[in-house]
Amino acid sequence: MNRSRATDALTVKKPVSSDQQGKIAGLAVVVMAAGLGKRMRSKQAKVLHPVAGQAMVLYSVGLGLRVAGGAVAVVVGHQADLVRQVIDRATSGKSGSSPVAIVEQREQLGTGHAVLQSRPVFEVGANGAPSSYLILNGDTPLLQETTVRELLRVHETAGATVTVLTAMLEDASGYGRVVRAKTAERGVLRIVEDRDADAEEQAIREINVGTYVVDGKFLFSALEKLTPSNAQGEYYLTDIIHLASGQGHRVAAVTLGNPDEGLGVNTRRQLAEAELVVRKQIRDRWLDAGVTMVDPASVWIDAAVTIGRDTVLYPNVMLEGATVIGEDCVVRSSTRLTDCVVGNGVEILDHCVFTDTRIEDGAHLGPFTHLRPGVVVRKKAKVGNFVEMKKTDLGEGSKANHLSYLGDAKIGKGVNIGAGTITCNYDGMQKFQTVIGDGVFLGSDTQLVAPVTVGAGAIIAAGTTVTENVPADALVIGRVPQLNRAGWAARRRALQTGTTREPVNVKRKTKSVRLTKKRPKASTGRQVKKRTRG
Ligand code: UD1
Ligand code: CA
């Protein structure tokens, strides 16, 4: 479940532009992503762990970007440079600049201290100070945009100073508990962290999800007043709720209908739970969009993948990274595509592994094909079993059906790559190119020692090692001519089993085969052609 790679492309369900509807004017966002996440027991910062192939922090950042009319700040700390890179890569537009401001929290003194670090981002804004802040934990990847919009709506209509998102859990351990007033309104008084809670508070099942809307004037003045007088010696963001309610400000709350959405990932178990939920959300989205899955639960689709209508996915297919699949494709069982672009009407049979590969319309691949980065398979081309390709462009309608390695090659249209063909692209020091023109026929077991060019329409006889450039339309044959010695094998067997009456004679004949037998005349072109076909 926990795979090491995360995609660069951020899943943006709707295209984002600055003037797009849905962004709320005056709303700024702060994402807290500085913690190490000790409970993960990982060398990697928690927010970099991928969920459905996308670093956890990108879920919160993507959500923030979709709703914020004002600035979006991300507070980084542990592995700050890596987190910054992941965010930049996912959010940078054509200009190369990211719409996200990154601020560093050098020491992780708590969530309240983290948010305080973002203050300078909002002081320089040309549009004046934000009217409210949406604050998100970087470790809640299941949170949905509709929920956040509901939280913002309630905050607005209630005229609240702080609005918190809560959830009712069977097992609330580890989370901050929501302490409500005992009056009829049951207003939120404060949040008490698990480690600071007394027995009565421990029994509360309503938890703080870690998603807040805070009034623009209140936030930073409240954060300045925090003290680290708690079990962890940290500045808790959650203490601003007690501050607000104590000052008679309104604190509102929205409780999640589906508590799954509030899952905070602190441990590997929770990471696995989040993965399960996100995977199902993604599958359901593509099922609804017109993709067939024969056994949905076994199909893995990363967050940034897109799939065209009427494409059929068989059991155990994995679509990773920024893979894009067109319409009317078939992907058979146990095939993995990572960062691939697949056209329409492509058939990929079982047990294929493709990485960073482009496949054009109507191509046919597999079973057991391995395509490595930089491969282009043009329209209606065919690549069959036990063919490995790397940095190779296979032309329209060309075929490499069996047992080949094609690396650093440019192959034209309508080319037949015979079974067992190898491009010898590496001399132990450097890699070299092989160029094969349109309509070339390579017989089985051809070796192409690069750099080498085969002109259009040439025929290479089976078993040939091509070491020099081949002119267009030529026949090339480069192999030891064949000798046939009638009866030789039978005589040798007889010699070995001792049943012959003429051992000396056989021995002499054996010698003559090796040393004195004249070579027959060179094979004729007709024979060669016959033997290289198919
Ligand atoms: C926090 C809440 C808790 C809530 C829970 C929900 C506080 C004090 N507690 O607890 O009430 O139930 O989330 O999941 O806020 N971070 C920083 N800098 C820091 C500390 C944390 O940026 O100094 C970031 C982390 O990277 C993480 C987020 O803040 O993304 C939450 O921190 P975490 O340590 O996971 O808080 P919880 O103990 O889960
Ligand atoms: Ca947490």
Side-chain angles (χ1 to χ4, degrees):
M1 289 256 174
N2 169 38
R3 288 170 304 128
S4 58
R5 59 178 305 288
T7 52
D8 296 350
L10 180 60
T11 342
V12 180
K13 282 172 195 150
K14 297 176 203 156
V16 169
S17 69
S18 57
D19 53 5
Q20 194 200 313
Q21 273 191 346
K23 295 198 173 209
I24 297 161
L27 177 69
V29 173
V30 183
V31 177
M32 294 175 283
L36 169 66
K38 284 196 204 88
R39 292 162 278 180
M40 293 288 282
R41 300 188 194 285
S42 174
K43 291 181 285 298
Q44 191 178 33
K46 177 171 72 178
V47 296
L48 290 178
H49 281 262
V51 174
Q54 181 170 274
M56 213 186 305
V57 66
L58 294 181
Y59 288 85
S60 301
V61 172
L63 212 166
L65 286 171
R66 293 198 292 274
V67 298
V72 175
V74 183
V75 185
V76 300
H78 272 284
Q79 296 183 329
D81 288 342
L82 272 176
V83 180
R84 182 194 301 266
Q85 273 172 32
V86 165
I87 293 170
D88 280 351
R89 251 187 277 143
T91 59
S92 298
K94 284 193 186 112
S95 63
S97 67
S98 164
V100 173
I102 307 279
V103 289
E104 201 165 337
Q105 183 193 23
R106 286 183 198 285
E107 259 185 295
Q108 282 66 57
L109 303 180
T111 48
H113 179 260
V115 175
L116 194 55
Q117 308 311 301
S118 70
R119 185 182 220 167
V121 173
F122 306 108
E123 279 173 342
V124 292
N127 307 331
S131 49
S132 51
Y133 293 89
L134 169 68
I135 303 173
L136 303 170
N137 274 359
D139 64 354
T140 49
L142 305 183
L143 191 64
Q144 299 292 300
E145 184 177 332
T146 45
T147 303
V148 167
R149 290 194 186 278
E150 173 65 4
L151 193 73
L152 289 160
R153 192 190 62 75
V154 167
H155 181 78
E156 197 64 31
T157 51
T161 297
V162 184
T163 304
V164 291
L165 185 62
T166 75
M168 300 299 293
L169 298 187
E170 287 301 324
D171 175 12
S173 59
Y175 288 97
R177 311 296 208 284
V178 178
V179 181
R180 289 184 179 258
K182 297 212 162 72
T183 58
E185 291 84 45
R186 302 208 2 95
V188 176
L189 293 180
R190 59 196 167 88
I191 289 169
V192 57
E193 290 307 298
D194 190 52
R195 286 165 68 175
D196 302 301
D198 61 27
E200 193 185 333
E201 291 161 340
Q202 291 266 351
I204 298 172
R205 287 176 45 227
E206 185 176 20
I207 62 107
N208 166 33
V209 169
T211 307
Y212 322 80
V213 185
V214 185
D215 177 73
K217 291 194 190 71
F218 178 77
L219 178 66
F220 289 107
S221 65
L223 290 177
E224 279 176 341
K225 295 183 190 115
L226 296 180
T227 54
S229 46
N230 50 57
Q232 301 185 75
E234 288 184 359
Y235 295 89
Y236 288 165
L237 171 63
T238 43
D239 284 349
I240 66 169
I241 287 144
H242 193 205
L243 275 172
S245 65
Q247 290 170 16
H249 295 304
R250 178 98 218 257
V251 178
V254 170
T255 303
L256 281 172
N258 171 12
D260 269 358
E261 232 191 285
L263 178 77
V265 175
N266 298 314
T267 64
R268 304 265 186 171
R269 281 181 190 232
Q270 286 166 331
L271 180 68
E273 275 176 58
E275 184 85 29
L276 214 62
V277 176
V278 171
R279 294 268 170 210
K280 178 155 180 7
Q281 284 172 355
I282 294 169
R283 285 195 305 264
D284 287 348
R285 202 165 83 222
W286 292 115
L287 288 167
D288 292 347
V291 173
T292 293
M293 296 176 210
V294 175
D295 174 25
S298 76
V299 173
W300 286 57
I301 306 168
D302 275 1
V305 168
T306 67
I307 312 167
R309 281 200 301 178
D310 291 315
T311 282
V312 180
L313 306 177
Y314 278 79
N316 301 312
V317 165
M318 298 183 84
L319 305 177
E320 297 185 337
T323 293
V324 175
I325 298 191
E327 298 188 357
D328 302 310
C329 293
V330 175
V331 186
R332 303 296 300 228
S333 300
S334 304
T335 281
R336 169 154 62 95
L337 310 187
T338 307
D339 297 326
C340 292
V341 177
V342 178
N344 299 323
V346 172
E347 188 172 17
I348 305 173
L349 299 184
D350 316 60
H351 300 285
C352 291
V353 177
F354 301 166
T355 305
D356 198 0
T357 289
R358 184 154 65 84
I359 298 164
E360 294 185 355
D361 298 352
H364 189 283
L365 302 106
F368 300 102
T369 301
H370 185 194
L371 303 184
R372 293 162 50 202
V375 167
V376 182
V377 176
R378 303 274 170 189
K379 281 183 193 159
K380 295 192 173 170
K382 286 187 171 179
V383 187
N385 28 211
F386 308 108
V387 175
E388 175 186 352
M389 289 167 63
K390 183 216 75 171
K391 274 195 192 159
T392 286
D393 186 328
L394 183 67
E396 190 173 330
S398 290
K399 291 181 276 183
N401 278 336
H402 335 265
L403 300 161
S404 282
Y405 172 64
L406 304 169
D408 302 300
K410 170 95 186 82
I411 300 167
K413 293 180 194 168
V415 171
N416 180 76
I417 305 284
T421 294
I422 307 286
T423 53
C424 311
N425 59 331
Y426 183 51
D427 67 359
M429 311 268 277
Q430 276 175 279
K431 301 277 171 75
F432 298 97
Q433 269 268 318
T434 299
V435 179
I436 300 174
D438 293 345
V440 165
F441 183 94
L442 298 187
S444 299
D445 196 24
T446 295
Q447 295 136 54
L448 299 142
V449 182
V452 73
T453 297
V454 179
I459 294 175
I460 313 293
T464 293
T465 303
V466 182
T467 54
E468 285 171 36
N469 290 347
V470 176
D473 296 319
L475 165 72
V476 185
I477 176 162
R479 62 186 184 219
V480 178
Q482 179 173 327
L483 304 177
N484 287 350
R485 298 296 294 152
W488 188 93
R491 285 195 295 277
R492 179 168 168 272
R493 271 194 304 276
L495 179 65
Q496 282 172 339
T497 53
T499 56
T500 179
R501 277 168 289 155
E502 294 178 282
V504 177
N505 192 20
V506 168
K507 201 172 182 188
R508 187 182 54 74
K509 284 218 165 170
T510 307
K511 256 187 186 164
S512 81
V513 167
R514 287 207 190 116
L515 303 173
T516 62
K517 172 75 184 173
K518 270 184 155 181
R519 288 179 162 208
K521 282 181 190 159
S523 312
T524 66
R526 220 181 91 246
Q527 279 172 315
V528 169
K529 255 188 184 161
K530 210 166 131 198
R531 296 181 53 255
T532 52
R533 226 172 254 152

